[in-house]
Amino acid sequence: MALPSFLVPVSLRGYKMSWLPRDVIAGVTLAAVAIPEVMGYTSIAQTPIVTGLYTILLPLLAFALLGASKLLVVGGDSATAAIMAGGLLTAGIAGLDPGSAQWVALCGLTALVCGLLLILARVLRLGFIGDFLSASVLIGFLTGVGIQVATSQIPDILGVPKGSGNWFQQQWAWITELGQVSWPTLAYGAATIGIVFAFKIFLPKVPGAIIAVVGLLILATATNASSYGVDVIGAVQGGFPPIGFPAAAWSDVPAVLSTAFACFIIIIAQSAATSRSFAAKHGDRADVNRDIVGLAASNLAAGFSGTFVVNGSPTKTQILDGQKGRTQVANLTVVAVVLVVLLFLTNLLTDLPKAVLGGVVFVIGLELIDIRGLLRISRVRRSEFLIALATALTVFIVGVGAGVILALALSLLDVVRRQYRPRDFVLGVRGKDGYEYTTAAAGAQTAPGLVVFRYDADLFYANASWFVDDVQQVVQNAPEPVKWLVLDCAGISDIDYSAGEAFSSLVDWLDARGVRLVLARPETGLLDEFTAYGMSERIPSDRVFSDLDEAVRAFPAQAGAAG
């Protein structure tokens, strides 16, 4: 008997049993990659190893049941782990030590607050917030995170103490300790990196990370690696995660709020972009607002199960797609595998060298550094390249939280910049071939006595004066006296009050010079705004054309009659 449709998770509706074998195989493969990765992320979050496994137990289950995306994989993530750790370190909480019970509790509280922010975003339909991180800014941000993540693993790979302070101080700390390198530890770290890259190059379909982890774990156990100076992870707590409110006070919420908000922004941006790209690839429609419900439930589940903030993962989702996984059944398989590991296999992890996990995360960090993307941006849009570069530098020099704020600010400033000083043109008639677009400047005209002016942005308080100045410059410096100014309104959909006042003064200026203002291709909404600003009588209906060609053809006859 089939379940009522409302009881079937959105991501599983229309499921076919013929997909099950492939989903299960894809899920097992994904688990092989995800388990060592999330264990490694705990070195970024500075939490116990087992909390990494917790990030893909209940949180992934929650998203599979409540999210909309068929493929999005949710779990621990390097970017949000770095934001969270950096934010807690600078929160000014007295006596807070990374890795302590208080630290873990605050990580859980951060996840809960993040989940509540995501619920608020869903109620207010704020999924569009992610759109305010431009692709170039996101590339710069993830590159900065990659540099920070990769360099943070170097001490573990070398077997030297980690430094404190800012990024430069941390790098100087391990550089000054090079004389104390533990060569056996370095051998494990280098072997891990070599194995992962070798499989990526020669056998890309085989998860090199799990091969490295399992192989080197067997070697370390057989040779008792800790006896010759190799730092191992030690006993890992097994069993089901602790369920309950984290052992933190509500009074700590203000201290973690800014960190949770920074994670919230990245979750919205990264998860929405990943969900949309894979939905489009398979001809599906992404439901970002429904995915936010799943992400909110995932972070609430993380907070109530003793772990840290979770996020949608582009790399894990790509692995799932590459293995021909079709639905969240694959992720439910991952959940089952992780549960087996937690219940029965954690004792086997005791002798795993920290350098091995450091090597896995080091490779993940390197893969986040998108040099090709930065070069591509630099060739196409130099201004956006500088924004991306500034974001990357801020992330690993100042901090990930500051990088998030800067990324949002620069993205919004870029939008304002484009609207503040958009491109404008004087159109030249090319007969049947349409129009030639020439940058509006002194000496430009469409025909003797005629200027067709196009402005590619809405008019608002910040750009209204530029618009008026550009029009006046073209009219004043035309080769012959202008009789008609045709404003091509195809690029203008809105005009605010300040711009309306400026536009009215421009009409006065044109009238004083005997120039007739004509509107071509205005939207109905724009005409309504002109009417509201009292310009319907000053620009009567016989000067409004729905077609640009009609406006241009009308010029000789009407201009002559008016002459």
Side-chain angles (χ1 to χ4, degrees), residues 55-317:
T55 66
I56 49 172
L57 188 66
L58 297 184
L60 186 51
L61 175 63
F63 184 85
L65 297 179
L66 296 175
S69 173
K70 294 179 180 179
L71 290 177
L72 186 66
V73 181
V74 172
D77 173 68
S78 57
T80 48
I83 292 171
M84 184 192 67
L88 292 181
L89 284 171
T90 57
I93 301 173
L96 181 61
D97 293 319
S100 65
Q102 182 190 15
W103 178 275
V104 174
L106 289 171
C107 289
L109 183 62
T110 304
L112 288 181
V113 175
C114 197
L116 293 175
L117 289 173
L118 287 163
I119 290 174
L120 182 64
R122 175 62 185 92
V123 171
L124 300 179
R125 296 183 178 273
L126 300 180
F128 67 88
I129 289 177
D131 297 333
F132 282 92
L133 282 181
S134 66
S136 55
V137 164
L138 203 53
I139 287 173
F141 175 80
L142 292 177
T143 295
V145 170
I147 293 172
Q148 186 192 60
V149 166
T151 54
S152 69
Q153 302 308 305
I154 293 176
D156 279 343
I157 294 171
L158 297 177
V160 299
K162 288 188 175 183
S164 58
N166 61 39
W167 184 82
F168 292 105
Q169 291 170 324
Q170 292 173 26
Q171 306 320 302
W172 182 246
W174 66 258
I175 290 172
T176 57
E177 294 287 341
L178 286 177
Q180 307 300 318
V181 168
S182 168
W183 295 106
T185 300
L186 177 58
Y188 275 103
T192 302
I193 296 169
I195 291 170
V196 173
F197 274 119
F199 275 90
K200 285 181 180 294
I201 296 170
F202 300 109
L203 292 171
K205 292 186 177 181
V206 178
I210 194 65
I211 301 298
V213 169
V214 173
L216 294 173
L217 172 59
I218 292 172
L219 177 62
T221 303
T223 60
N224 192 16
S226 60
S227 66
Y228 47 89
V230 176
D231 198 7
V232 298
I233 66 174
V236 177
Q237 175 186 337
F240 206 71
I243 303 298
F245 194 87
W250 280 108
S251 58
D252 291 321
V253 169
V256 304
L257 184 58
S258 61
T259 301
F261 182 76
C263 291
F264 158 77
I265 293 295
I266 293 304
I267 290 169
I268 291 284
Q270 184 170 302
S271 297
T274 304
S275 179
R276 282 176 177 150
S277 63
F278 283 94
K281 181 178 178 179
H282 294 283
D284 296 325
R285 187 181 70 86
D287 185 349
V288 174
N289 284 311
R290 180 66 189 224
D291 282 339
I292 289 175
V293 173
L295 290 163
S298 295
N299 277 283
L300 292 176
F304 284 120
S305 60
T307 189
F308 50 90
V309 175
V310 296
N311 188 13
S313 170
T315 54
K316 295 185 188 69
T317 306

Side-chain angles (χ1 to χ4, degrees), residues 373-396:
L374 290 172
L375 291 175
R376 188 166 57 249
I377 296 170
S378 70
R379 289 194 294 266
V380 179
R381 300 277 291 190
R382 184 169 180 79
S383 61
E384 291 192 47
F385 167 73
L386 294 176
I387 290 173
L389 188 61
T391 304
L393 292 172
T394 301
V395 167
F396 69 84

Side-chain angles (χ1 to χ4, degrees), residues 10-11 13 19 68-72 284 320 326-328 331:
V10 174
S11 62
R13 290 175 186 174
W19 298 345
S69 173
K70 294 179 180 179
L71 290 177
L72 186 66
D284 296 325
L320 186 58
R326 300 292 296 268
T327 69
Q328 290 290 334
N331 285 329

